[in-house]
């Protein structure tokens, strides 16, 4: 149903985001991912301002962390 469509769209967007990061020569390092809660809210904060960060976040956070 609707959840399956949402998951497919997210998977496609995540795939495209990974390609964009790779094409721009970006290198992403995630520290502290083990501290993220399995459920509930979390606040993600980047250490600098950039449009590429949108793609970076999409690449490395699962659907369960998307709101």
């Amino acid at each position: 149903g609707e959840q399956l469509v949402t998951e497919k769209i997210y998977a496609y967007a995540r795939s495209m985001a990974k390609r964009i990061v790779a094409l721009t020569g970006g290198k992403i390092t995630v520290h502290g991912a083990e501290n993220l809660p399995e459920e509930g809210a979390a606040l993600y904060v980047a250490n600098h301002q950039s449009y590429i960060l949108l793609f970076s976040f999409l690449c490395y956070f699962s659907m369960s962390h998307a709101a």
Side-chain angles (χ1 to χ4, degrees), residues 1 6 12-13 18-19 28-29 32 38 51 53-56 65:
T6 300
Y12 176 76
K18 285 184 178 187
R19 289 184 184 138
I28 300 169
T29 305
E38 291 294 323
Y51 291 114
L53 289 175
L54 297 171
F55 299 107
S56 304
H65 290 104

Side-chain angles (χ1 to χ4, degrees), residues 2-61:
E2 187 176 324
Q3 180 66 25
L4 180 60
V5 171
T6 300
E7 289 174 8
K8 287 186 177 199
I9 291 171
Y10 186 82
Y12 176 76
R14 192 172 184 184
S15 170
M16 293 305 294
K18 285 184 178 187
R19 289 184 184 138
I20 290 169
V21 170
L23 287 171
T24 60
K27 180 181 177 193
I28 300 169
T29 305
V30 177
H31 297 279
E34 66 279 1
N35 298 318
L36 292 173
E38 291 294 323
E39 295 180 11
L43 177 64
Y44 302 108
V45 180
N47 65 350
H48 63 281
Q49 186 177 12
S50 170
Y51 291 114
I52 197 71
L53 289 175
L54 297 171
F55 299 107
S56 304
F57 283 164
L58 183 59
C59 289
Y60 288 93
F61 296 112

